[in-house]
Amino acid sequence: MAGAAPPKRQDTRKFFENLSGEGKSIAVLTSGGDAQGMNAAVRAVVRMGIYVGAKVYFIHEGYQGMVDGGDNIKEATWESVSSMLQVGGTVIGSARCKEFRTHEGRLKAAHNLVQRGITNLCVIGGDGSLTGANLFREEWSGLLDELLQQGLINEEAVRSNSVLHIVGMVGSIDNDFCGTDMTIGTDSALHRIIEVVDAIMTTAQSHQRTFVLEVMGRHCGYLALVSALACGADWVFIPEMPPEDGWEDSMCQKLSEVTHTTQYFNTHS
Ligand code: ADP
């Protein structure tokens, strides 16, 4: 965090010894669609933050909690992230927040952070959440100036909170974020799909039926494609490669030749 260069292998130990969060405050939030693994990410932020001596805050209910402030922003302890590593969803809550898309909403959020001296923000979310975080970072100094003009904060607060550092952790089951090998939640989602396919296969075989399985993904076919490969599906429909005209006939022809077929769609969002 805070612009520290990544350590070389032999320097790793020294790097961690020298890493200090003394006097810093970090806040962590989960935003947008939930993904298995978000809790593990929250836990890692809290425990590492406390380990290096920083004050760590939860922001409950995503950006909504940051805009509303109050009890939504609470200090975290080492124990407050116990027993959540394996739990799905996000225990600190997620939300979609219209207000944060507005300048007024982001101004309120900045005020809530400055009041607590939080200048390090870890956002665990998808494309939208991370776009919002980046916008907030870019606007930060302008927001502080506005708060100063409105008399809500003083010059000392502007000076001591002058830069907002953000870290984005990609929480998305779609594995659709450039530069990230595997996004948080993708592996668990694939695992769950294969469990479901295994369960369906026995019924398909018993009744010589064809099953159609729809998976999540909206505009991204990653889950459909990879799980179709893993379970040997006969057909896969993905948005990146829409079917050609007349696909209905060729699919019916193929299905009349084989039984026990599982097919995939990923139009669900
Ligand atoms: P995801 O992060 O899973 O892609 P959304 O696209 O719904 O989910 O974004 C989650 C939240 O992030 C939104 O409800 C909104 O508060 C914030 N957000 C998304 N896009 C923007 C944006 N362009 N500017 C500001 N905030 C945004």
Side-chain angles (χ1 to χ4, degrees), residues 31-33 63 95-97 100-101 106 125-129 131-132 135:
S31 170
Y63 289 129
R96 293 206 155 86
C97 172
F100 193 72
R101 290 178 182 272
R106 293 192 292 275
D127 194 18
S129 304
T131 302
L135 180 64

Side-chain angles (χ1 to χ4, degrees), residues 201 204-211 232 234 258-262:
M201 283 296 252
Q205 282 161 351
S206 301
H207 297 280
Q208 303 199 348
R209 288 280 175 90
T210 292
F211 276 73
D234 291 297
V258 292
T259 53
H260 324 314
T261 302
T262 307

Side-chain angles (χ1 to χ4, degrees), residues 29-251:
L29 64 89
T30 51
S31 170
D34 73 302
Q36 168 86 35
M38 279 181 162
N39 288 321
V42 169
R43 179 183 183 273
V45 173
V46 170
R47 294 230 163 145
M48 190 62 192
I50 292 173
Y51 175 74
V52 299
K55 227 177 186 188
V56 186
Y57 290 88
F58 291 132
I59 299 180
H60 293 273
E61 318 306 336
Y63 289 129
Q64 192 64 56
M66 196 157 85
V67 171
D68 294 343
D71 280 350
N72 290 299
I73 307 178
K74 276 199 205 115
E75 195 173 342
T77 65
W78 191 268
E79 290 75 29
S80 56
V81 289
S82 295
S83 309
M84 63 190 259
L85 201 51
Q86 75 290 1
V87 180
T90 160
V91 300
I92 59 170
S94 184
R96 293 206 155 86
C97 172
K98 276 194 185 155
E99 242 182 312
F100 193 72
R101 290 178 182 272
T102 68
H103 184 79
E104 280 311 304
R106 293 192 292 275
L107 191 65
K108 281 193 207 165
H111 189 209
N112 285 324
L113 295 193
V114 171
Q115 281 176 320
R116 293 162 180 83
I118 299 169
T119 50
N120 300 285
L121 186 62
C122 183
V123 177
I124 305 168
D127 194 18
S129 304
L130 301 184
T131 302
N134 196 38
L135 180 64
F136 192 46
R137 181 186 62 83
E138 286 171 356
E139 283 183 351
W140 182 255
S141 63
L143 293 172
L144 296 201
D145 288 344
E146 266 183 71
L147 292 170
L148 178 67
Q149 279 162 20
Q150 292 178 13
L152 293 169
I153 59 173
N154 58 27
E155 283 190 8
E156 169 52 22
V158 175
R159 197 194 54 74
S160 57
N161 296 284
S162 61
V163 181
L164 178 70
H165 303 280
I166 58 165
V167 169
M169 296 171 84
V170 192
S172 162
I173 62 172
D174 301 332
N175 205 26
D176 58 350
F177 211 89
C178 168
T180 300
D181 287 346
M182 189 165 273
T183 57
I184 294 168
T186 302
D187 188 66
S188 302
L190 286 173
H191 190 91
R192 188 57 59 91
I193 292 166
I194 297 304
E195 274 176 6
V196 167
V197 171
D198 288 346
I200 290 173
M201 283 296 252
T202 51
T203 300
Q205 282 161 351
S206 301
H207 297 280
Q208 303 199 348
R209 288 280 175 90
T210 292
F211 276 73
V212 177
L213 189 74
E214 182 184 8
V215 300
M216 301 284 282
R218 198 160 25 178
H219 306 301
C220 176
Y222 182 87
L223 287 180
L225 182 63
V226 175
S227 51
L229 282 172
C231 74
D234 291 297
W235 281 79
V236 59
F237 292 91
I238 55 172
E240 292 86 346
M241 199 187 283
E244 288 168 3
D245 288 347
W247 63 270
E248 295 92 338
D249 290 340
S250 58
M251 187 179 79

